[in-house]
Amino acid sequence: MDLALIAALARDLDAAGFTVDGLTELWGEDASAALHRGHRVPALRALERSGGAPAAVLARAFVLGMPVDPAALDSALPSLTAAGARSLGLVDAAGAPLLDLRPYSVVDAHGVVSWWIASDLGELALGHAIPEHHVLGVGGASMTLSGLLVDRDVDVALDLGTGCGIQAMHVARHAKRVVATDISERALELAALNAALNGFDNIEFRLGSLFEPVAGERFGHIVSNPPFVITPRATGVPEYEYRDGGMVGDALVATVVAGLEEHLEPGGVAQLLGNWEYRGDSGLDRVRAWVESTGLDAWVVERERQRVEQYAETWIRDGGTRSGAEFDRLYAAWLDDFEERGVREVGFGYLTLRRPLSGPPTLRRFEEYGAPLGGSLGGHIESVLAAHDWLRSASLRDARLTVAPDVTEERHYWPGADDPTMLILRQGSGFARSIPVDTAVAAVVGASDGDLSVEAICFAVADLLGVDGSALRDEVLPELAELVLTGFVRP
Ligand SMILES: C[S@@+](CC[C@H](N)C(=O)[O-])C[C@H]1O[C@@H](n2cnc3c(N)ncnc32)[C@H](O)[C@@H]1O
């Protein structure tokens, strides 16, 4: 890897204003949205009107995947030059792009991230279905996982299945060192290019399957957006490296879960995404069984569930195959595969697992939560883990709680009625949960300003409602524990 050429590229991209905002300025929100849907015509028309500005040349080549004149590339990349771009494998001799390279921007716990990410050319640029060894750029699942990452100061972290390196770079903002692995040599090359391009020198790249490259090593934080897509093991079904771990059904995710304990330091946290099958019974129960054979704390959230037909359609289309005989052949293979195991639905979600500092696991939470997540949620995940530990060690009834500042109460009334028929507590950040509560819980939460203990508030509320204090307290405590865990009230 030629670090001098990569540094020249970074300088040129920076000088060209090749940023997310810069591109939106070039072609507007509607063209951005069309690109997101897989159409480049609006963006191309906007670029044609914008003249030969460096950002426009770079966007045409590396985001839209269209050839550019080497002379135009020379002026858009004055430090690197077109010859340097060829040496880095960005374009061929005629100026046709060989890689996708685009700006990426999010806000994480450390502030604004503004990077460039190289990956393989997508279906739009290729004009046909992507090949099996395709190295994916930053997709929806990548963003979901990166948005969930806890911000832990650890010595060494692991990104298993790093692809273009996106999770490794996020983790490298809080870990002293990151080991990033992949089964694909090409993915590791691109991830190393991305790390260098964005100024990371604390990521080490290792080739190999699953935990093989880190045998005998432990980490404070393990992250993985593994190749979890359930794929029929049948002749003629493409095996996309970026999404398919080569195992039957959901075995790849089960295998990753089984391998975590051995590679987590005490207190270490693992975060991954996954699919799980519904084979008659609940898919979340399948995940529970995977977790229960480990000594790990676990919090698993199922975000969505698809019928197998919908699942097959999604992933056949994702590979770039459109309706027609080939689509139908693949569809049948997917349905045969699901039928063999009696699968009717597939769940998707996030797993947070933690090796206890000592002793057996105490957290086992499996829930369905479908609302879309937004922003950086690592701090929220950390606070849920901390709240769990606090609930285990402290006395809730003696605690003085305060309502979190993002919580509001919503009341619903029948028209003309004096008393509400429904009370809902809403959270403005974190998972933005809404929890229906009864009058007693709402009153206890409402009075939680840190002055009185939970027990004292319960007795005062019972007085007001004319009911027995101990009975009200015993009824309220479990619901209050849930509100502490999910961040509505804080010790
Ligand atoms: C869904 S992609 C995730 C890429 C990236 N981490 C992200 O979040 O966008 C899964 C990655 O796992 C890699 N992979 C596939 N099988 C693997 C295996 N057995 N061991 C390690 N990595 C594997 C693929 O090459 C691919 O880069």
Side-chain angles (χ1 to χ4, degrees), residues 137 142 160-163 166-167 182-184 208-210 225-227 241-242:
S142 325
L160 192 153
T162 197
I166 185 69
Q167 313 300 342
D182 208 287
I183 204 171
S184 152
S209 181
L210 296 169
N225 171 11
E241 222 164 32
Y242 72 88

Side-chain angles (χ1 to χ4, degrees), residues 444-462:
V444 171
V445 170
S448 294
D449 59 4
D451 263 359
L452 295 174
S453 71
V454 167
E455 172 134 296
I457 296 175
C458 285
F459 276 83
V461 169

